[in-house]
Amino acid sequence: RMFLNQLQKDLEEVKELLTNATRKRVRDVLVAEKQKLELEIKNQPPPKPKDVTEEERSSLGGYTVKINNYGWDQSDKFVKIYISLNGVQKLPAENVQVNFTERSFDLLVKNLNGKNYTMTFNNLLKPISVEGSSRKIKTDMILVMCKKKREEKWDCLTQVEKESKEKEKAAYDTADPSEGLMNILKKMYAEGDDEMKRTINKAWVESREKQYKGDIPMDI
């Protein structure tokens, strides 16, 4: 590309010299040089088309945001994923791309308010039909429609979610119901904010006090 710019500048200068040249010999030399430069420019390989996303990324300083928030729903035939993005309806339709495979999809939203947005779902719980799946652009929202291969209810979206649900269930499915309750309380405590922690601590202290006063049996 730089080399082509240099050739074009040389050609411009040769043309300028030609307009001022009066001696035939000088003119002949310049005309020959002009033809040589024009041929060289013509034979330059065309500029390589730049990958669109790469071009936009460089113009955006490579700023790509990963989308983590979504909602989902299902019908007999479709699993629907709702992704909120302010102003997405103002983009050209080709800026919102979704690639589907039988067990995954990835979304790329290009150049929305100076940023790219991506979201990937791998290991979907069950297979989907690539041809039957699509996306719809709504006001401030993208709706990804995954066509189910079989009309059956999905308990969750991905294999990973299913496994983590099963592990949680196994942890709470203990013979001792009070132990199951303790596990739930521990989890709520671990994941809760300060207010939640205070509430659980208070409830715990009060239940211990009642035990000591003999208001409730010790084995509960």
Side-chain angles (χ1 to χ4, degrees):
R1 189 94 196 122
M2 258 179 90
F3 185 57
L4 185 61
N5 286 342
Q6 294 302 320
L7 288 175
Q8 282 164 339
K9 282 180 182 170
D10 288 349
L11 181 62
E12 281 163 28
E13 197 161 307
V14 166
K15 283 180 180 171
E16 206 177 307
L17 289 169
L18 257 172
T19 57
N20 299 323
T22 51
R23 307 286 299 162
K24 183 177 181 307
R25 195 169 166 188
V26 173
R27 283 186 69 81
D28 287 349
V29 169
L30 288 170
V31 166
E33 186 61 29
K34 175 175 167 280
Q35 287 168 347
K36 192 175 135 196
L37 282 165
E38 282 169 345
L39 189 66
E40 214 173 325
I41 287 168
K42 193 180 164 193
N43 290 336
Q44 279 293 304
K48 211 170 105 183
K50 215 176 180 191
D51 179 38
V52 181
T53 55
E54 189 193 312
E55 192 169 335
E56 285 183 356
R57 279 201 183 121
S58 64
S59 71
L60 302 173
Y63 196 51
T64 297
V65 180
K66 206 169 175 186
I67 304 167
N68 291 315
N69 294 331
Y70 64 91
W72 77 284
D73 190 8
Q74 61 184 313
S75 63
D76 289 341
K77 293 184 178 175
F78 287 94
V79 169
K80 306 164 192 177
I81 294 98
Y82 300 88
I83 298 138
S84 297
L85 274 179
N86 282 342
V88 72
Q89 72 280 4
K90 294 172 191 162
L91 288 177
E94 64 268 18
N95 280 33
V96 180
Q97 298 170 358
V98 184
N99 293 317
F100 296 95
T101 76
E102 197 178 63
R103 291 299 282 268
S104 75
F105 72 83
D106 61 86
L107 164 75
L108 172 63
V109 179
K110 297 188 286 190
N111 212 355
L112 175 61
N113 304 324
K115 294 173 196 164
N116 296 330
Y117 292 84
T118 63
M119 176 179 236
T120 302
F121 272 91
N122 290 317
N123 298 320
L124 289 170
L125 186 68
K126 298 175 192 287
I128 60 171
S129 157
V130 174
E131 303 75 38
S133 298
S134 61
R135 59 105 180 97
K136 291 179 181 174
I137 300 167
K138 298 178 174 289
T139 306
D140 299 333
M141 181 185 286
I142 299 163
L143 170 57
V144 179
M145 307 274 289
C146 296
K147 173 88 189 289
K148 294 176 178 179
K149 274 238 166 126
R150 290 186 299 277
E151 293 187 19
E152 56 189 331
K153 188 172 179 288
W154 289 27
D155 296 328
C156 47
L157 264 182
T158 63
Q159 241 353 92
V160 175
E161 277 178 65
K162 185 188 175 199
E163 284 161 19
S164 76
K165 271 188 180 174
E166 281 169 358
K167 274 184 196 158
E168 258 177 48
K169 190 170 180 296
Y172 298 150
D173 274 359
T174 55
D176 181 353
S178 66
E179 195 181 319
L181 179 64
M182 280 305 300
N183 281 337
I184 292 167
L185 282 171
K186 279 178 192 166
K187 187 170 188 292
M188 284 168 70
Y189 189 86
E191 292 174 4
D193 55 14
D194 289 346
E195 190 61 37
M196 174 68 80
K197 288 187 167 87
R198 273 197 293 275
T199 306
I200 292 170
N201 277 334
K202 188 166 177 282
W204 177 251
V205 168
E206 282 172 6
S207 85
R208 301 302 289 174
E209 281 173 356
K210 278 181 183 172
Q211 271 187 29
Y212 291 131
K213 285 179 186 166
D215 291 351
I216 54 173
M218 284 298 283
D219 61 344
I220 286 180

